[in-house]
Amino acid sequence: MVNFFKSKKKEEYSAVQTVRTTAKRHPFYEINGYNPKVDVEYELYTLLREAVPIVDAAICKTVRLVGSFKVECEDKIMENKLNDFISHVKVNSCENGMDSFISTYLDQMLTYGTAIGEIVPNNSQEGIAALYNASIKDVELRTNKTPLNLEVCRKDIDGKIIPLKYQDLILVSPLKPEPGKIYGTSILRGLPFVSGILLNIYNSIDANWERVGNVRFAVTYKPGPDAGEKAFARERAMQVADEWSRAMSSRDGVSDFVSVGDVSIKVIGADSQILDSEIPVRQMLEQIVAKLAIPPFILGLSWSTTEKMSAQQADILTSELEFYRRCLNPVIERICRKWLRFRGLSAQFKVVWDNINLQDEVEMANARLMSARAAEIEKKLEVI
């Protein structure tokens, strides 16, 4: 007899290796573990994305434009099972689907140059329970014995470096690493200097417009040649200052200011001209856009461009996205192979990405049409 009221067995997960161990200490326990040799490059890139919105927008749009994927197998039953796993696998604490894992993985790779992920099996070691995006700040990469053997280590709460026990469950993807280096190169490398100039310009604009919007006045009282007037110059200056403050702080609307003697009033900074920031800001943005390889019109920059130039920029962007897809393919294939091995299965499959946009669909359809017409003409020529 089937018990329909039996509680469903809760999914059990094995421990995540790449999480930094924590302990209950005082709120500022980081001071105890301060290490002056810690690399602050990752914090710089995080701050850069927050300070310059166009940098963050470019990375987010790149991640979305890479698109989604599926796998194709000769065995359709196996193909359906794999795609079901891809669509429903648990990711981190509150996400589902390998698309979420790959999006965060690519975002980390673009920002920091190296992406770290982990395959989390269930306790019975019979399947993959979840996928976890590890923080690059919690792990350290190093070579073991030879430069061809990569070892992933976890940073302990006391600053110790502990090699992970199950290296085959860790996913590491460096982006364009330099020869002899383990870590990859962030696409934000080279932007801090240019972004610093851009932020200085924006800060100057803020200060200038704050002065323009909240005008400061210079009230000058010049005593006359009379000795009595010079003797009471201080008292009269204080009276002028009090009356001017009363006139400026009046809440009943416009208030008049009446004075006797040689009193001049000028706006501070009215004689200086605010510099035109359009050209220098565009120069800095051009450097940023060139580094991020995103067409300006995608970022909302209405720079003068022609239709042909936009098409060429779109083609360049397509090649960039294809490059990122090639970087992600080994990660997807490794996760799928691990899922098959846990279940004792084997199957040949390939990762198929969605077309980047509808324009590609139209161009591919036109190419197939032209090929079909060419084949038809060739057949007619053979008959003749």
Side-chain angles (χ1 to χ4, degrees):
M1 181 177 179
V2 180
N3 185 5
F4 294 95
F5 299 95
K6 185 178 180 180
S7 60
K8 185 178 180 180
K9 185 179 179 180
K10 186 177 180 181
E11 184 72 29
E12 296 180 350
Y13 308 98
S14 59
V16 178
Q17 306 176 79
T18 51
V19 176
R20 180 181 297 182
T21 56
T22 58
K24 291 184 178 180
R25 301 185 180 183
H26 59 80
F28 305 101
Y29 70 90
E30 292 90 351
I31 297 177
N32 297 337
Y34 172 73
N35 185 356
K37 297 181 180 179
V38 173
D39 191 0
V40 297
E41 185 179 8
Y42 301 138
E43 296 291 343
L44 175 62
Y45 292 150
T46 302
L47 183 63
L48 186 60
R49 290 187 61 171
E50 182 180 354
V52 186
I54 197 171
V55 174
D56 184 68
I59 294 178
C60 292
K61 289 182 183 297
T62 300
V63 172
R64 287 196 295 268
L65 288 172
V66 166
S68 58
F69 60 91
K70 61 180 180 180
V71 296
E72 291 184 355
C73 305
E74 295 182 358
D75 187 352
K76 294 302 177 183
I77 298 178
M78 189 63 62
E79 178 180 323
N80 293 334
K81 290 182 179 180
L82 265 175
N83 286 320
D84 182 72
F85 162 74
I86 290 172
S87 301
H88 300 95
V89 62
K90 182 176 177 59
V91 177
N92 299 323
S93 59
C94 56
E95 295 178 299
N96 289 286
M98 200 186 297
D99 281 335
S100 300
F101 173 79
I102 291 298
S103 296
T104 306
Y105 194 85
L106 177 60
D107 187 284
Q108 186 184 46
M109 183 170 63
L110 296 177
T111 304
Y112 305 117
T114 305
I116 307 292
E118 182 176 351
I119 301 172
V120 184
N122 50 31
N123 285 337
S124 60
Q125 301 292 322
E126 295 177 353
I128 296 177
L131 300 175
Y132 176 71
N133 293 106
S135 174
I136 189 68
K137 304 171 187 177
D138 294 342
V139 299
E140 181 172 324
L141 307 180
R142 64 186 184 184
T143 55
N144 184 15
K145 297 181 180 179
T146 66
L148 299 179
N149 292 331
L150 178 66
E151 186 178 47
V152 183
C153 304
R154 171 174 53 87
K155 297 178 181 178
D156 198 10
I157 188 65
D158 298 325
K160 297 180 180 179
I161 304 300
I162 303 174
L164 300 179
K165 185 177 181 180
Y166 303 103
Q167 296 286 332
D168 59 327
L169 298 178
I170 308 300
L171 306 167
V172 181
S173 295
L175 178 64
K176 296 183 292 186
E178 298 179 356
K181 298 293 182 66
I182 304 175
Y183 292 90
T185 305
S186 170
I187 64 171
L188 304 183
R189 184 177 181 180
L191 291 185
F193 175 72
V194 176
S195 300
I197 297 175
L198 183 65
L199 292 176
N200 286 334
I201 296 175
Y202 286 156
N203 186 52
S204 300
I205 294 174
D206 175 63
N208 289 331
W209 280 97
E210 185 179 358
R211 293 190 184 98
V212 172
N214 189 8
V215 181
R216 270 73 167 176
F217 295 93
V219 182
T220 305
Y221 167 66
K222 296 180 180 180
D226 187 8
E229 187 174 356
K230 291 182 179 180
F232 295 97
R234 179 180 178 84
E235 288 77 4
R236 291 188 178 183
M238 295 299 297
Q239 290 179 357
V240 171
D242 293 340
E243 291 298 322
W244 179 258
S245 298
R246 183 188 63 79
M248 295 302 298
S249 62
S250 177
R251 298 182 179 180
D252 298 331
V254 180
S255 179
D256 296 329
F257 171 74
V258 180
S259 64
V260 178
D262 188 1
V263 179
S264 61
I265 302 173
K266 292 182 179 180
V267 177
I268 298 177
D271 298 335
S272 61
Q273 183 179 2
I274 298 178
L275 297 176
D276 185 11
S277 61
E278 182 177 359
I279 295 178
V281 166
R282 176 164 176 172
Q283 289 178 345
M284 298 301 104
L285 290 179
E286 285 175 349
Q287 298 294 321
I288 294 175
V289 171
K291 189 68 171 64
L292 299 176
I294 292 290
F297 61 86
I298 294 181
L299 299 174
L301 300 175
S302 56
W303 295 343
S304 58
T305 181
T306 61
E307 183 178 357
K308 185 176 181 181
M309 184 181 298
S310 299
Q312 293 174 348
Q313 291 176 348
D315 292 338
I316 295 174
L317 176 61
T318 302
S319 65
E320 290 287 333
L321 299 178
E322 292 291 345
F323 169 73
Y324 295 139
R325 287 180 173 183
R326 291 195 298 270
C327 294
L328 296 174
N329 277 340
V331 178
I332 301 171
E333 293 173 355
R334 184 176 176 184
I335 295 174
C336 292
R337 289 197 188 98
K338 186 65 68 174
W339 181 83
L340 291 172
R341 290 176 182 174
F342 274 127
R343 294 176 174 267
L345 303 173
S346 63
Q348 297 294 328
F349 63 88
K350 65 177 180 179
V351 180
V352 179
W353 292 86
D354 295 338
N355 289 324
I356 295 175
N357 52 33
L358 293 178
Q359 184 178 357
D360 292 342
E361 295 273 5
V362 174
E363 292 180 356
M364 291 178 64
N366 290 331
R368 290 195 298 269
L369 178 61
M370 296 298 292
S371 298
R373 288 179 178 176
E376 184 179 359
I377 295 174
E378 290 175 356
K379 288 182 179 179
K380 292 181 179 179
L381 294 175
E382 290 177 359
V383 173
I384 295 176

